[in-house]
Structure formats: C-alpha cells, structure tokens
Amino acid sequence: MSESLGSGAPPPPQTTLRHRLAELRGPAVAPHPLDARALAALAANPGCRRRALLDGAGVDKTALASKLGSPAAFGQSQFAFMRGNAFEAKVKADGGRELLRLLGIDEPGTVRVPELAAAGPEGRVARTALALREATEAGTWALLDHPLLSLEVAGSPAHLEPDAVVVHPDGRWTVVEIKSFPMIDGAADASKVGAAARQAAVYVLALERIAALTRGAEVAHSVLLVCPKDFSNLPTASVVDVRKQLSVTRRQLSRLTRIEEIAAALPDGVTFDVEGCSARELAAAVESVPHAYAPECLSACELAFHCRERARGAGAVEALGRSVRGELGGLTTVGDVLAAARGEAGDPDDPTVEALRRAAALRAEALACR
C-alpha cells in the first residue's frame, strides 16, 4: 500500500473512481468479475501494476489478449467445466445430504439452509453477512450455498463466491471447496490441492472481515476439500490447512498499489476498450502500465504471452525467472549479462560480474577440450 494514504488531501469519492475505471474498460462494457482464482494469482505477483489495474477495472483480459494477437493458451475446458458442475450438483443434492454426511451430520433436517437471494451483488453480500450472523447467534448447524463475499483489493471491491460455507454450532465458519479432480487413496494431486488452498485462503480472508463484526464467530483456518473418491463419482473429503496460504495472501494483497494511484499515472485518453480500439491502440495502452512479468505468469494470467513476447524483445532477464533476476543484481538485460561475461562491460569487483566471467572462462575451457 502507499505510505501516503493517511496524509494529505482526502481521497476522491468512490463514485469518481468507479467512473474512471468504467472509462478505462469502455463505458458500454460490463465489468469482468474478479474471482478468487484471479485474486490468488494477483496476490502471487503484487508488483504487477498492469494486472492490478486491469483486474480492478474489470477488463476482460482474455478478450484483450486475443485482440493483441497473443491469446491465452490455458483455461478450463468445456468438458471439465460441465463435469465440475455435475459433481457439485451431486454433492449438494437433496439439501446437501452428501456434504453434510462428510461433516458427520446424518440428518439434514437439523441444518439451516438460509435463502441468500437478493438484488444485485451488494444486496447478496449484505444478505450473506446477515445469514452468517443469524446462524452464529442461533448456535445451530447452517449451510450457505454459494454465499457472496466482498473483499477490498487495492482500493477496489471484489466479489467472491465460494462453493459453500458451513456454520458450526460453536460459531466456527468453514469454507467448503468442491473440485472435480480425484482423490485417490486419500490423496489428490499436490499442485491442484495447492491451487485450491490458495483460492480458499482468499475466501477465508473475506470471511474474517464479517467475523470481526460478529460476536462468537471464528473463521476456521482449515477448509473442507471435497473431491470424487478414487475413480468413482462418490464424494470424499479432506481437511486442508490454509494458514500458510492465508498469511502469504494477506501480506501480498497489502503490498498492492491502490488502483487510483495507478490510474492517475496513466496518460490522458488511455482506454482498454476491446471493441472500440484497434490492436495498435490497445497495445499502446497496455504498454503504458508497468508490469512485472515472470514465467509463472504463463499459468495464471491471460496476458502472460503478450508480456513474455515484450520481455524477450527487450532482452529483459525477468523472462528467465525471478531467481535468475535476483542473482543478476543490477544487470537487467541479457545484453548486459553477456557483455559482462565477455569482459566488455561491468565492474570487475562486482561479485556478479566476477561470477559471470568465471563461468564464461569455464565454458570456454570445456568447449576447447571437446
């Protein structure tokens, strides 16, 4: 966060920021929702102002990447999407009997299932908060199906929708994540479980805001992960501790620069209106926002291929990975690195330059012995 937030002139009204963000994505374009998966990816790379602004403005990055000629090569297939929806429907069928069975509740009739419908996202967020407070005060089991939560991200509100939240009689709230990847012999793919844990940590963070205003409420720092058992369609569950992911997400989100500060630094007339702008205009608009590309972005951001192409074109060492970038210190381009290794540039007393020249000498020696 900016250190100047608590000083100087008061911030502009929220309506002014919303108007500015609407101009950035295009006045006639509906905002693309920022979900927990995107928020977890944003938290993993808090130094990328480009993603923070585009996500905060609700720009459809998939459409933007396609217009720029670098479409994203990842995403959930239609078959996987349908399979996931079918499995979630099975878990929640008959009043959530299967889900409640996994929680050790044999009689669904003893569990409250509040109605969460309301007008607009703000209404649903308020209705969810009310249902959580009422269930906690009642001291009974409650199952909230697709509640809507709100979390402020860099000064811009994000609406999040977990699969379910369970309220325990003792006032604990547990996030339920339903995934269609299998749990074989009681264990699932570690990378998929990690991604689910990072996503669930965002929900826990949003719930903590409500719990802080609810007497007797406590958000569990472990989530219930529900998956198909072995090669069947029978639901099974595992408790996943998300304390590490929660700590990282909280810290990373606090480092994000506020959206209004990024927007204020843009040149006049910049817009990311995919329908109203040419590919050349959009490319110029995207380049006007600083980014922090890393190879990890390829599996998390729709604009990653565009950013990679520009990073490679500029010879930026970031394209080689964060660890390599950290080792090279003040050498920011591949050209600088090669020049330093050949002895054409760089301070010979610099440990990085010395290591590069030593590596180049060893390479030359090895090639000469072939």
Side-chain angles (χ1 to χ4, degrees), residues 136-162:
T136 303
E137 292 173 0
T140 59
W141 287 98
L143 173 63
L144 278 67
D145 184 9
H146 282 293
L148 193 66
L149 310 173
S150 179
L151 184 66
E152 185 176 287
V153 181
S156 181
H159 294 118
L160 312 169
E161 189 175 6

Side-chain angles (χ1 to χ4, degrees), residues 315-318 320 324-341 345-347 350-357:
V317 296
E318 286 84 355
L320 303 176
V324 175
R325 174 68 186 89
E327 292 289 341
L328 292 175
L331 303 175
T332 59
T333 68
V334 175
D336 292 341
V337 173
L338 295 177
D347 182 359
D350 185 336
T352 301
V353 175
E354 182 181 1
L356 286 170
R357 292 180 180 176

Side-chain angles (χ1 to χ4, degrees), residues 266-345:
L266 296 177
D268 292 338
V270 168
T271 179
F272 305 98
D273 187 349
V274 176
E275 297 297 329
C277 296
S278 65
R280 183 175 181 178
E281 291 171 330
L282 288 173
V286 168
E287 292 305 311
S288 69
V289 190
H291 69 107
Y293 171 76
E296 294 86 345
C297 297
L298 294 173
S299 62
C301 182
E302 295 84 349
L303 281 179
F305 291 92
H306 172 81
C307 296
R308 181 181 66 174
E309 180 183 348
R310 296 307 172 96
R312 287 177 172 177
V317 296
E318 286 84 355
L320 303 176
R322 290 194 179 101
S323 60
V324 175
R325 174 68 186 89
E327 292 289 341
L328 292 175
L331 303 175
T332 59
T333 68
V334 175
D336 292 341
V337 173
L338 295 177
R342 291 192 294 260
E344 300 169 357

